Amino acid sequence: MTTPENRRPALAATDPELAALVTAEEQLQADTLRLIPSENYVSAAVLEASGTVLQNKYSEGYPGKRYYEGQQVIDQVETVAVERATSLFHMDHANVQPYSGSPANLAVYLAFLEPGDTVLGMSLPMGGHLTHGWGVSATGTWFRGVQYGVRRDTGRIDLDEVRDLARAERPKMIFCGGTAVPRTIDFAAFAEIAHEVGAVLVADIAHIAGLIAGGAHPSPAPYADVVSTTTHKTLRGPRGAMLLSRAEHARAIDRAVFPGLQGGPHNQTTAAIAVALKEAATADFSAYAHQVVSNARALGEELASRGFDLVSGGTDNHLLLIDLTGKDVPGKIAAKALDRAGIVVNYNTVPYDPRKPFDPSGIRIGTPALTSRGIPVQEMGTVAEWIDRVVEAARTGDEAAVEKVRAEVKNLMDAYPAPGLPVG
Ligand SMILES: Cc1ncc(COP(=O)(O)O)c(C=O)c1O
């Protein structure tokens, strides 16, 4: 029988405490319905690649131009990752070394801006990311962040506001894409605005990279100067990031990542990125990407029919932003009750939220992880019903109802084992 001890014998022998924690996390990921839209389950192949001896090697520099010897193998690993990235996303150049999405974005600032220069990005409470010039981020303190939002009446990005701000503020760089944006990003419209004011257009596709790779969201390739992405969300790779760009920006991007911001790349992550990119180029992955969207759309419809207020009225992608004001339950109380029921979400601000970010009005949910388990669209009614029951239980303080949902969630999770996790 496979036990945690014989799956990880060295870890179990050296550090039983940590071995037990890894096993506990495995169990949690197996037993719960993970609806955080930025999370996923990587394949066993990606998991294996990310836990290899490649992590023992230092390789500052780029293939063929390193500052350490012994790169006979690592150069090949990175070259394969770069080739797969440029081919999958149809961009001229790829840098696969950023440690994660935030340092990747900071590298873009370093490549194109001087401190104090203006950047136009979506504001955090409206769905943008911290690194798009928000005040508490280095990107909003070292640079001058000007922020756009969504329209109050539609919950959608206000492109008129983006154009007006761009004309008035003349940013050197414009970010599009975000972290809580349930609708298609109109890359062409952003490019038109960026060209008009002479700004570099950065498409941050961290959330939707897998959908783009699978053809379930339009590609920024024809429009963006730089494409920034994490590799661990819908793309279903290891925790890491990539910067893709037009050929003319390749040198600036590479110099900004190394030596500008980072030292040695994490080669085990590079290998796992390469594996994830190979997987993402398959027909199976394309089906997965489309299924993520179908599941999100169905879940949105099921929730709306139960009286949930969806920001922008629904979704075009993998995520739903839900304003719980009408349900009379704050986002944090709902998220914590859902967690107790084995349904993992995050509380989130909604546009024009009167509440504070640490205690906001909404929750954010998404379908990438449940779709990786193969949970079909027919089950979205069940998922919506669970959310409804738990939110109501959170309002009335009915802990028994929460417990009941937890048992039902566990049954469905047992029926759809997650990739990369040992069964049983
Ligand atoms: C749009 C966007 N960009 C960048 C990031 C930053 O990625 P990381 O958490 O890997 O630094 C995120 C993470 O949530 C994101 O949603």
Side-chain angles (χ1 to χ4, degrees), residues 275-303:
V275 175
L277 291 168
K278 181 172 185 183
E279 291 176 349
T282 61
D284 275 358
F285 191 88
S286 175
Y288 162 73
H290 285 89
Q291 194 58 49
V292 166
V293 176
S294 305
N295 282 350
R297 201 167 285 152
L299 184 54
E301 283 163 10
E302 293 284 353
L303 285 166

PDB file of all heavy atoms in Angstrom, residues 275-303:
ATOM      1  N   VAL A 275       7.505  21.654 -18.807  1.00  0.00           N
ATOM      2  CA  VAL A 275       6.558  20.530 -18.841  1.00  0.00           C
ATOM      3  C   VAL A 275       5.120  21.044 -18.947  1.00  0.00           C
ATOM      4  O   VAL A 275       4.318  20.549 -19.755  1.00  0.00           O
ATOM      5  CB  VAL A 275       6.724  19.643 -17.581  1.00  0.00           C
ATOM      6  CG1 VAL A 275       5.664  18.542 -17.550  1.00  0.00           C
ATOM      7  CG2 VAL A 275       8.119  19.040 -17.522  1.00  0.00           C
ATOM      8  N   ALA A 276       4.806  22.059 -18.140  1.00  0.00           N
ATOM      9  CA  ALA A 276       3.444  22.611 -18.177  1.00  0.00           C
ATOM     10  C   ALA A 276       3.133  23.185 -19.561  1.00  0.00           C
ATOM     11  O   ALA A 276       2.006  23.053 -20.057  1.00  0.00           O
ATOM     12  CB  ALA A 276       3.295  23.699 -17.111  1.00  0.00           C
ATOM     13  N   LEU A 277       4.125  23.816 -20.189  1.00  0.00           N
ATOM     14  CA  LEU A 277       3.896  24.389 -21.521  1.00  0.00           C
ATOM     15  C   LEU A 277       3.657  23.285 -22.556  1.00  0.00           C
ATOM     16  O   LEU A 277       2.840  23.437 -23.468  1.00  0.00           O
ATOM     17  CB  LEU A 277       5.092  25.262 -21.934  1.00  0.00           C
ATOM     18  CG  LEU A 277       5.248  26.554 -21.121  1.00  0.00           C
ATOM     19  CD1 LEU A 277       6.607  27.203 -21.398  1.00  0.00           C
ATOM     20  CD2 LEU A 277       4.119  27.542 -21.437  1.00  0.00           C
ATOM     21  N   LYS A 278       4.364  22.170 -22.386  1.00  0.00           N
ATOM     22  CA  LYS A 278       4.122  21.034 -23.294  1.00  0.00           C
ATOM     23  C   LYS A 278       2.689  20.529 -23.117  1.00  0.00           C
ATOM     24  O   LYS A 278       1.967  20.302 -24.090  1.00  0.00           O
ATOM     25  CB  LYS A 278       5.130  19.907 -23.018  1.00  0.00           C
ATOM     26  CG  LYS A 278       4.933  18.730 -23.930  1.00  0.00           C
ATOM     27  CD  LYS A 278       6.011  17.678 -23.821  1.00  0.00           C
ATOM     28  CE  LYS A 278       5.737  16.622 -24.892  1.00  0.00           C
ATOM     29  NZ  LYS A 278       6.662  15.516 -24.840  1.00  0.00           N
ATOM     30  N   GLU A 279       2.271  20.402 -21.862  1.00  0.00           N
ATOM     31  CA  GLU A 279       0.896  19.942 -21.595  1.00  0.00           C
ATOM     32  C   GLU A 279      -0.125  20.937 -22.159  1.00  0.00           C
ATOM     33  O   GLU A 279      -1.157  20.542 -22.709  1.00  0.00           O
ATOM     34  CB  GLU A 279       0.678  19.796 -20.083  1.00  0.00           C
ATOM     35  CG  GLU A 279       1.454  18.654 -19.455  1.00  0.00           C
ATOM     36  CD  GLU A 279       1.304  18.562 -17.940  1.00  0.00           C
ATOM     37  OE1 GLU A 279       0.767  19.507 -17.310  1.00  0.00           O
ATOM     38  OE2 GLU A 279       1.750  17.542 -17.387  1.00  0.00           O
ATOM     39  N   ALA A 280       0.187  22.237 -22.006  1.00  0.00           N
ATOM     40  CA  ALA A 280      -0.785  23.263 -22.410  1.00  0.00           C
ATOM     41  C   ALA A 280      -0.937  23.366 -23.924  1.00  0.00           C
ATOM     42  O   ALA A 280      -1.872  24.006 -24.410  1.00  0.00           O
ATOM     43  CB  ALA A 280      -0.370  24.613 -21.832  1.00  0.00           C
ATOM     44  N   ALA A 281      -0.021  22.750 -24.660  1.00  0.00           N
ATOM     45  CA  ALA A 281      -0.108  22.796 -26.127  1.00  0.00           C
ATOM     46  C   ALA A 281      -0.960  21.648 -26.691  1.00  0.00           C
ATOM     47  O   ALA A 281      -1.116  21.535 -27.903  1.00  0.00           O
ATOM     48  CB  ALA A 281       1.304  22.737 -26.719  1.00  0.00           C
ATOM     49  N   THR A 282      -1.522  20.819 -25.827  1.00  0.00           N
ATOM     50  CA  THR A 282      -2.268  19.644 -26.299  1.00  0.00           C
ATOM     51  C   THR A 282      -3.759  19.951 -26.498  1.00  0.00           C
ATOM     52  O   THR A 282      -4.290  20.922 -25.953  1.00  0.00           O
ATOM     53  CB  THR A 282      -2.164  18.491 -25.276  1.00  0.00           C
ATOM     54  OG1 THR A 282      -2.743  18.946 -24.035  1.00  0.00           O
ATOM     55  CG2 THR A 282      -0.717  18.082 -25.034  1.00  0.00           C
ATOM     56  N   ALA A 283      -4.398  19.081 -27.271  1.00  0.00           N
ATOM     57  CA  ALA A 283      -5.851  19.205 -27.478  1.00  0.00           C
ATOM     58  C   ALA A 283      -6.589  19.004 -26.161  1.00  0.00           C
ATOM     59  O   ALA A 283      -7.618  19.643 -25.899  1.00  0.00           O
ATOM     60  CB  ALA A 283      -6.315  18.179 -28.511  1.00  0.00           C
ATOM     61  N   ASP A 284      -6.074  18.116 -25.316  1.00  0.00           N
ATOM     62  CA  ASP A 284      -6.716  17.889 -24.011  1.00  0.00           C
ATOM     63  C   ASP A 284      -6.752  19.179 -23.193  1.00  0.00           C
ATOM     64  O   ASP A 284      -7.738  19.473 -22.516  1.00  0.00           O
ATOM     65  CB  ASP A 284      -5.917  16.849 -23.187  1.00  0.00           C
ATOM     66  CG  ASP A 284      -6.316  15.439 -23.553  1.00  0.00           C
ATOM     67  OD1 ASP A 284      -7.221  15.277 -24.399  1.00  0.00           O
ATOM     68  OD2 ASP A 284      -5.691  14.498 -23.003  1.00  0.00           O
ATOM     69  N   PHE A 285      -5.651  19.928 -23.249  1.00  0.00           N
ATOM     70  CA  PHE A 285      -5.601  21.167 -22.464  1.00  0.00           C
ATOM     71  C   PHE A 285      -6.572  22.199 -23.026  1.00  0.00           C
ATOM     72  O   PHE A 285      -7.225  22.936 -22.281  1.00  0.00           O
ATOM     73  CB  PHE A 285      -4.179  21.738 -22.405  1.00  0.00           C
ATOM     74  CG  PHE A 285      -4.053  22.852 -21.397  1.00  0.00           C
ATOM     75  CD1 PHE A 285      -3.747  22.581 -20.071  1.00  0.00           C
ATOM     76  CD2 PHE A 285      -4.276  24.178 -21.761  1.00  0.00           C
ATOM     77  CE1 PHE A 285      -3.668  23.603 -19.126  1.00  0.00           C
ATOM     78  CE2 PHE A 285      -4.199  25.203 -20.833  1.00  0.00           C
ATOM     79  CZ  PHE A 285      -3.888  24.914 -19.513  1.00  0.00           C
ATOM     80  N   SER A 286      -6.674  22.239 -24.353  1.00  0.00           N
ATOM     81  CA  SER A 286      -7.617  23.172 -24.961  1.00  0.00           C
ATOM     82  C   SER A 286      -9.043  22.837 -24.497  1.00  0.00           C
ATOM     83  O   SER A 286      -9.836  23.737 -24.162  1.00  0.00           O
ATOM     84  CB  SER A 286      -7.496  23.087 -26.480  1.00  0.00           C
ATOM     85  OG  SER A 286      -8.469  23.885 -27.074  1.00  0.00           O
ATOM     86  N   ALA A 287      -9.351  21.543 -24.452  1.00  0.00           N
ATOM     87  CA  ALA A 287     -10.677  21.127 -23.955  1.00  0.00           C
ATOM     88  C   ALA A 287     -10.837  21.559 -22.500  1.00  0.00           C
ATOM     89  O   ALA A 287     -11.903  22.033 -22.093  1.00  0.00           O
ATOM     90  CB  ALA A 287     -10.831  19.617 -24.095  1.00  0.00           C
ATOM     91  N   TYR A 288      -9.766  21.398 -21.732  1.00  0.00           N
ATOM     92  CA  TYR A 288      -9.795  21.811 -20.320  1.00  0.00           C
ATOM     93  C   TYR A 288     -10.115  23.312 -20.208  1.00  0.00           C
ATOM     94  O   TYR A 288     -10.997  23.719 -19.447  1.00  0.00           O
ATOM     95  CB  TYR A 288      -8.445  21.505 -19.650  1.00  0.00           C
ATOM     96  CG  TYR A 288      -8.214  22.246 -18.360  1.00  0.00           C
ATOM     97  CD1 TYR A 288      -8.900  21.874 -17.206  1.00  0.00           C
ATOM     98  CD2 TYR A 288      -7.347  23.333 -18.292  1.00  0.00           C
ATOM     99  CE1 TYR A 288      -8.714  22.569 -16.012  1.00  0.00           C
ATOM    100  CE2 TYR A 288      -7.162  24.032 -17.118  1.00  0.00           C
ATOM    101  CZ  TYR A 288      -7.844  23.648 -15.978  1.00  0.00           C
ATOM    102  OH  TYR A 288      -7.669  24.344 -14.803  1.00  0.00           O
ATOM    103  N   ALA A 289      -9.402  24.123 -20.992  1.00  0.00           N
ATOM    104  CA  ALA A 289      -9.578  25.582 -20.915  1.00  0.00           C
ATOM    105  C   ALA A 289     -11.027  25.964 -21.230  1.00  0.00           C
ATOM    106  O   ALA A 289     -11.628  26.806 -20.544  1.00  0.00           O
ATOM    107  CB  ALA A 289      -8.617  26.277 -21.870  1.00  0.00           C
ATOM    108  N   HIS A 290     -11.587  25.342 -22.259  1.00  0.00           N
ATOM    109  CA  HIS A 290     -12.981  25.645 -22.605  1.00  0.00           C
ATOM    110  C   HIS A 290     -13.941  25.164 -21.512  1.00  0.00           C
ATOM    111  O   HIS A 290     -14.947  25.815 -21.230  1.00  0.00           O
ATOM    112  CB  HIS A 290     -13.344  25.043 -23.966  1.00  0.00           C
ATOM    113  CG  HIS A 290     -12.745  25.803 -25.116  1.00  0.00           C
ATOM    114  ND1 HIS A 290     -11.493  25.526 -25.629  1.00  0.00           N
ATOM    115  CD2 HIS A 290     -13.196  26.877 -25.807  1.00  0.00           C
ATOM    116  CE1 HIS A 290     -11.214  26.384 -26.604  1.00  0.00           C
ATOM    117  NE2 HIS A 290     -12.239  27.212 -26.731  1.00  0.00           N
ATOM    118  N   GLN A 291     -13.602  24.035 -20.904  1.00  0.00           N
ATOM    119  CA  GLN A 291     -14.450  23.503 -19.836  1.00  0.00           C
ATOM    120  C   GLN A 291     -14.427  24.401 -18.597  1.00  0.00           C
ATOM    121  O   GLN A 291     -15.451  24.577 -17.928  1.00  0.00           O
ATOM    122  CB  GLN A 291     -13.984  22.080 -19.474  1.00  0.00           C
ATOM    123  CG  GLN A 291     -14.973  21.304 -18.631  1.00  0.00           C
ATOM    124  CD  GLN A 291     -16.342  21.170 -19.303  1.00  0.00           C
ATOM    125  OE1 GLN A 291     -16.411  20.793 -20.466  1.00  0.00           O
ATOM    126  NE2 GLN A 291     -17.406  21.506 -18.588  1.00  0.00           N
ATOM    127  N   VAL A 292     -13.251  24.984 -18.319  1.00  0.00           N
ATOM    128  CA  VAL A 292     -13.144  25.930 -17.199  1.00  0.00           C
ATOM    129  C   VAL A 292     -14.175  27.053 -17.383  1.00  0.00           C
ATOM    130  O   VAL A 292     -14.900  27.422 -16.455  1.00  0.00           O
ATOM    131  CB  VAL A 292     -11.715  26.526 -17.116  1.00  0.00           C
ATOM    132  CG1 VAL A 292     -11.676  27.738 -16.195  1.00  0.00           C
ATOM    133  CG2 VAL A 292     -10.718  25.472 -16.647  1.00  0.00           C
ATOM    134  N   VAL A 293     -14.227  27.576 -18.611  1.00  0.00           N
ATOM    135  CA  VAL A 293     -15.139  28.691 -18.898  1.00  0.00           C
ATOM    136  C   VAL A 293     -16.601  28.216 -18.838  1.00  0.00           C
ATOM    137  O   VAL A 293     -17.456  28.888 -18.239  1.00  0.00           O
ATOM    138  CB  VAL A 293     -14.815  29.322 -20.269  1.00  0.00           C
ATOM    139  CG1 VAL A 293     -15.826  30.410 -20.618  1.00  0.00           C
ATOM    140  CG2 VAL A 293     -13.399  29.891 -20.275  1.00  0.00           C
ATOM    141  N   SER A 294     -16.888  27.056 -19.425  1.00  0.00           N
ATOM    142  CA  SER A 294     -18.279  26.542 -19.377  1.00  0.00           C
ATOM    143  C   SER A 294     -18.721  26.320 -17.945  1.00  0.00           C
ATOM    144  O   SER A 294     -19.854  26.640 -17.573  1.00  0.00           O
ATOM    145  CB  SER A 294     -18.410  25.205 -20.115  1.00  0.00           C
ATOM    146  OG  SER A 294     -17.954  25.324 -21.417  1.00  0.00           O
ATOM    147  N   ASN A 295     -17.829  25.775 -17.126  1.00  0.00           N
ATOM    148  CA  ASN A 295     -18.181  25.541 -15.724  1.00  0.00           C
ATOM    149  C   ASN A 295     -18.435  26.858 -14.993  1.00  0.00           C
ATOM    150  O   ASN A 295     -19.372  26.967 -14.200  1.00  0.00           O
ATOM    151  CB  ASN A 295     -17.073  24.738 -15.019  1.00  0.00           C
ATOM    152  CG  ASN A 295     -17.134  23.248 -15.346  1.00  0.00           C
ATOM    153  OD1 ASN A 295     -18.099  22.774 -15.942  1.00  0.00           O
ATOM    154  ND2 ASN A 295     -16.099  22.514 -14.975  1.00  0.00           N
ATOM    155  N   ALA A 296     -17.574  27.854 -15.256  1.00  0.00           N
ATOM    156  CA  ALA A 296     -17.739  29.148 -14.571  1.00  0.00           C
ATOM    157  C   ALA A 296     -19.059  29.800 -14.986  1.00  0.00           C
ATOM    158  O   ALA A 296     -19.794  30.343 -14.153  1.00  0.00           O
ATOM    159  CB  ALA A 296     -16.561  30.067 -14.883  1.00  0.00           C
ATOM    160  N   ARG A 297     -19.347  29.711 -16.279  1.00  0.00           N
ATOM    161  CA  ARG A 297     -20.587  30.327 -16.775  1.00  0.00           C
ATOM    162  C   ARG A 297     -21.801  29.633 -16.125  1.00  0.00           C
ATOM    163  O   ARG A 297     -22.734  30.281 -15.653  1.00  0.00           O
ATOM    164  CB  ARG A 297     -20.631  30.190 -18.304  1.00  0.00           C
ATOM    165  CG  ARG A 297     -21.559  31.179 -18.954  1.00  0.00           C
ATOM    166  CD  ARG A 297     -21.336  31.221 -20.447  1.00  0.00           C
ATOM    167  NE  ARG A 297     -20.117  31.920 -20.817  1.00  0.00           N
ATOM    168  CZ  ARG A 297     -19.405  31.682 -21.920  1.00  0.00           C
ATOM    169  NH1 ARG A 297     -19.751  30.725 -22.751  1.00  0.00           N
ATOM    170  NH2 ARG A 297     -18.322  32.392 -22.183  1.00  0.00           N
ATOM    171  N   ALA A 298     -21.774  28.304 -16.106  1.00  0.00           N
ATOM    172  CA  ALA A 298     -22.896  27.547 -15.529  1.00  0.00           C
ATOM    173  C   ALA A 298     -23.024  27.837 -14.032  1.00  0.00           C
ATOM    174  O   ALA A 298     -24.132  28.036 -13.520  1.00  0.00           O
ATOM    175  CB  ALA A 298     -22.688  26.053 -15.763  1.00  0.00           C
ATOM    176  N   LEU A 299     -21.896  27.895 -13.347  1.00  0.00           N
ATOM    177  CA  LEU A 299     -21.927  28.182 -11.908  1.00  0.00           C
ATOM    178  C   LEU A 299     -22.504  29.577 -11.669  1.00  0.00           C
ATOM    179  O   LEU A 299     -23.317  29.789 -10.760  1.00  0.00           O
ATOM    180  CB  LEU A 299     -20.508  28.067 -11.329  1.00  0.00           C
ATOM    181  CG  LEU A 299     -20.339  28.239  -9.833  1.00  0.00           C
ATOM    182  CD1 LEU A 299     -21.253  27.306  -9.043  1.00  0.00           C
ATOM    183  CD2 LEU A 299     -18.876  27.989  -9.429  1.00  0.00           C
ATOM    184  N   GLY A 300     -22.104  30.523 -12.521  1.00  0.00           N
ATOM    185  CA  GLY A 300     -22.634  31.889 -12.419  1.00  0.00           C
ATOM    186  C   GLY A 300     -24.152  31.901 -12.603  1.00  0.00           C
ATOM    187  O   GLY A 300     -24.879  32.548 -11.840  1.00  0.00           O
ATOM    188  N   GLU A 301     -24.630  31.171 -13.593  1.00  0.00           N
ATOM    189  CA  GLU A 301     -26.085  31.154 -13.849  1.00  0.00           C
ATOM    190  C   GLU A 301     -26.825  30.518 -12.673  1.00  0.00           C
ATOM    191  O   GLU A 301     -27.876  31.000 -12.239  1.00  0.00           O
ATOM    192  CB  GLU A 301     -26.378  30.398 -15.156  1.00  0.00           C
ATOM    193  CG  GLU A 301     -26.063  31.252 -16.375  1.00  0.00           C
ATOM    194  CD  GLU A 301     -25.949  30.441 -17.670  1.00  0.00           C
ATOM    195  OE1 GLU A 301     -26.300  29.243 -17.668  1.00  0.00           O
ATOM    196  OE2 GLU A 301     -25.482  31.021 -18.675  1.00  0.00           O
ATOM    197  N   GLU A 302     -26.258  29.443 -12.150  1.00  0.00           N
ATOM    198  CA  GLU A 302     -26.901  28.762 -11.017  1.00  0.00           C
ATOM    199  C   GLU A 302     -26.924  29.670  -9.782  1.00  0.00           C
ATOM    200  O   GLU A 302     -27.893  29.681  -9.031  1.00  0.00           O
ATOM    201  CB  GLU A 302     -26.157  27.459 -10.685  1.00  0.00           C
ATOM    202  CG  GLU A 302     -26.265  26.388 -11.763  1.00  0.00           C
ATOM    203  CD  GLU A 302     -27.633  25.707 -11.765  1.00  0.00           C
ATOM    204  OE1 GLU A 302     -28.442  25.979 -10.859  1.00  0.00           O
ATOM    205  OE2 GLU A 302     -27.890  24.903 -12.683  1.00  0.00           O
ATOM    206  N   LEU A 303     -25.844  30.416  -9.572  1.00  0.00           N
ATOM    207  CA  LEU A 303     -25.799  31.322  -8.417  1.00  0.00           C
ATOM    208  C   LEU A 303     -26.773  32.482  -8.611  1.00  0.00           C
ATOM    209  O   LEU A 303     -27.500  32.858  -7.686  1.00  0.00           O
ATOM    210  CB  LEU A 303     -24.369  31.844  -8.220  1.00  0.00           C
ATOM    211  CG  LEU A 303     -23.387  30.831  -7.620  1.00  0.00           C
ATOM    212  CD1 LEU A 303     -21.944  31.310  -7.782  1.00  0.00           C
ATOM    213  CD2 LEU A 303     -23.691  30.575  -6.141  1.00  0.00           C
TER     214      LEU A 303
END
